[in-house]
Amino acid sequence: MVVGDIATGTEVLVIGAGPGGYVAAIRAAQQGLDTTLVEKDAYGGTCLNYGCIPSKALITSANLAHEAGNAEEMGIHADPVVDMSQLRDWKDGVVDQLTGGVEKLCKANGVNLVEGTARFKDENAVRIAHGGEGQGSETIEFEHCIIATGSRVIQIPGFDFADEQVWSSRDALAADTVPDRLVVVGGGYIGMELSTTFAKLGSEVTVVEMLDDILPGYESDVARVVRKRAEELGIDMNFGEGASGWRDEDDGIIVTTETEDGEEAEYRADKVLVAVGRSPVTDTMELENAGIEADERGFFDVDDFRRTDVEHIYAVGDVVADTPMLAHVASKEGIVAAEHIAGEPVAFDSQAVPAAVFTDPEIGTVGMTEDEAEEMGFTTAVGQMPFRASGRALTTGHADGFVRIVADDDSGFILGAQIVGPEASELVAEVALAIEMGATLEDVASTIHTHPTLAEAVMEAAENALGQAIHTLNR
């Protein structure tokens, strides 16, 4: 033990206070286990501080300003002015309220909070290095450990986030001015959310994507609705191009790209936002001292209880292989790990994991697509309801998109859904519950839905799959 190092013990040590870690810590403490939570940066992790929450606050503000300034068809004429400094203060206030709430909830449930960076000494102890000069370190011995260290943005060659002109998503969400010209590298969900947001705030936005469409992983007709709307907002999209570098220009910067055939292109900008994905943070903990190995990409392989190869050390959230990097997945995994440590009969079941993209319009998905279901051997029944046939959607001025439900034709059991349109992130919850409970098309179709609501489109899609739709043509 080094000079100034003190040793303490705990039953459950949780490393990282993001949506996976703080939820795991609270649930472990609720189970009567002595629990210690270590966080080096900010309670709530990336999601609450630099991702999910600030981005949705910014998106909401941009949507409000854009709609107010583009509602002439409804007889509303306005020219809103966005004060980015005030907007940032409001956004930060929302974040502070939530992160402060996390800390209070942890303390109220009896979780011991420790600030610092954890590194394994062996498979039953970590050393916590406290930040700040003269703060020293301490050793914490544990019976069980849950790793919940999350992920970081991927940096690509030629684009250093230390440069003022190069933004990560975190930098973009902290901006107090709107760039006149913004180049976005990456057409995934983060890139498209921020592209549409800054376009609505007044930026001239150019998206550069190596693939041949935006939103990889989503069905082409879903991505098409979002791409069409982005084009209407004036976003210039360029596919099959990889960003190769940037250089200063008298009135801004030049971003250079290159195709697989070696063709080069240049785009003028004031800022360049790199949004090409995230990678797990597993290289800071000296895992070898605990006998744990991550794969070549930095992820952990875990079992149904979220245990790593070392049985009393668990991993949850973005560091876990073969599960989506979603905050709600991390939280569920954290609960499973904590309850398994407490001896509860639990396991992680991922058959109904909803996901949402907060583009314009929104996307909500859960379960299988039609192709995935057929690959699994199902004979599918598919129903679709366009929002242009929804009275409520028309009254909001947002009628692009559709609700699609995929079911097993023999049993009627619902297998999945793809929703693109207004409030898709909320609507998908009904289908997620239906899948989790083993509901059928008949169950959803025969459930009376409030009129007029967007949720009626889910009912109508189920009716369409049964050949009984009233407000859209049956397939």
Side-chain angles (χ1 to χ4, degrees):
M1 188 180 300
V2 299
V3 175
D5 193 12
I6 60 173
T8 58
T10 189
E11 288 181 281
V12 180
L13 175 70
V14 182
I15 304 175
Y22 83 76
V23 169
I26 290 175
R27 181 51 55 89
Q30 289 173 342
Q31 293 288 322
L33 299 169
D34 181 70
T35 305
T36 300
L37 176 61
V38 179
E39 171 57 45
K40 71 173 184 177
D41 184 14
Y43 294 107
T46 294
C47 177
L48 267 66
N49 290 276
Y50 316 116
C52 314
I53 299 304
S55 69
K56 303 317 167 280
L58 188 63
I59 288 168
T60 299
S61 303
N63 288 347
L64 181 60
H66 182 78
E67 289 193 20
N70 292 270
E72 293 87 354
E73 185 179 0
M74 297 180 181
I76 298 172
H77 301 269
D79 186 15
V81 176
V82 178
D83 183 331
M84 282 298 291
S85 178
Q86 187 173 348
L87 170 54
R88 187 178 66 173
D89 289 344
W90 171 75
K91 169 181 62 68
D92 291 347
V94 173
V95 170
D96 290 344
Q97 180 178 342
L98 289 172
T99 55
V102 167
E103 186 173 356
K104 290 176 182 177
L105 284 170
C106 288
K107 290 179 178 178
N109 281 279
V111 177
N112 305 306
L113 301 180
V114 177
E115 295 184 7
T117 302
R119 294 182 175 86
F120 285 98
K121 293 179 65 175
D122 55 48
E123 65 177 26
N124 287 107
V126 296
R127 174 167 291 148
I128 309 298
H130 300 298
E133 185 177 349
Q135 294 299 308
S137 63
E138 64 178 296
T139 294
I140 300 179
E141 298 174 350
F142 58 83
E143 296 178 21
H144 298 88
C145 178
I146 301 174
I147 299 172
T149 45
S151 60
R152 61 169 71 96
V153 292
I154 295 174
Q155 188 165 297
I156 60 177
F159 296 84
D160 190 337
F161 292 136
D163 291 326
E164 182 181 350
Q165 296 90 338
V166 181
W167 274 356
S168 66
S169 56
R170 177 173 174 173
D171 297 321
L173 294 173
D176 57 6
T177 59
V178 176
D180 291 335
R181 301 164 299 178
L182 176 66
V183 168
V184 178
V185 179
Y189 74 94
I190 296 176
M192 290 311 300
E193 284 182 356
L194 292 175
S195 293
T196 52
T197 297
F198 276 93
K200 289 179 178 181
L201 290 173
S203 289
E204 181 183 305
V205 179
T206 300
V207 174
V208 175
E209 169 57 54
M210 292 185 66
L211 302 179
D212 57 4
D213 202 354
I214 59 171
L215 300 170
Y218 289 89
E219 289 183 288
S220 59
D221 59 348
V222 171
R224 187 183 309 122
V225 177
V226 177
R227 186 178 67 248
K228 179 173 179 273
R229 177 62 176 142
E231 291 170 347
E232 290 172 353
L233 290 170
I235 297 174
D236 178 31
M237 284 173 284
N238 303 273
F239 300 112
E241 299 181 19
S244 55
W246 67 277
R247 65 178 186 274
D248 283 314
E249 184 80 343
D250 289 341
D251 62 343
I253 62 173
I254 298 289
V255 178
T256 57
T257 68
E258 188 173 342
T259 67
E260 286 187 355
D261 297 330
E263 297 181 9
E264 296 183 347
E266 296 185 345
Y267 302 97
R268 297 181 180 276
D270 298 293
K271 300 285 185 181
V272 53
L273 166 61
V274 178
V276 296
R278 302 182 64 85
S279 61
V281 179
T282 53
D283 56 353
T284 63
M285 293 176 286
E286 300 180 5
L287 299 172
E288 63 278 3
N289 294 337
I292 314 171
E293 288 188 14
D295 66 19
E296 65 277 3
R297 298 179 301 153
F299 292 100
F300 294 117
D301 290 319
V302 297
D303 63 14
D304 290 341
F305 314 115
R306 308 294 93 172
R307 292 181 299 190
T308 67
D309 292 337
V310 179
E311 285 201 346
H312 66 282
I313 299 180
Y314 296 65
V316 303
D318 290 0
V319 299
V320 173
D322 301 323
T323 56
M325 286 184 169
L326 298 170
H328 45 284
V329 172
S331 294
K332 182 61 177 179
E333 289 180 321
I335 289 172
V336 168
E339 292 187 347
H340 186 259
I341 291 170
E344 298 291 334
V346 296
F348 184 76
D349 180 359
S350 61
Q351 67 174 337
V353 176
V357 180
F358 294 83
T359 45
D360 181 4
E362 292 182 354
I363 298 172
T365 60
V366 65
M368 302 180 197
T369 65
E370 182 178 4
D371 289 344
E372 289 169 343
E374 291 178 351
E375 287 174 7
M376 292 289 289
F378 291 99
T379 300
T380 58
V382 180
Q384 191 159 308
M385 172 65 176
F387 279 112
R388 66 176 178 272
S390 162
R392 182 66 183 118
L394 289 169
T395 64
T396 68
H398 300 283
D400 291 336
F402 53 83
V403 176
R404 179 164 59 226
I405 290 182
V406 180
D408 173 37
D409 190 45
D410 295 330
S411 65
F413 286 123
I414 295 174
L415 303 173
Q418 301 81 48
I419 305 173
V420 55
E423 304 295 338
S425 61
E426 302 289 344
L427 296 177
V428 74
E430 178 178 355
V431 188
L433 182 61
I435 296 172
E436 190 67 36
M437 297 190 70
T440 65
L441 290 170
E442 183 67 32
D443 292 326
V444 174
S446 62
T447 298
I448 297 175
H449 287 61
T450 308
H451 175 76
T453 62
L454 296 171
E456 287 178 295
V458 178
M459 176 187 71
E460 295 269 4
E463 290 177 335
N464 184 247
L466 292 167
Q468 301 172 357
I470 300 296
H471 296 100
T472 187
L473 294 178
N474 290 299
R475 291 190 167 199

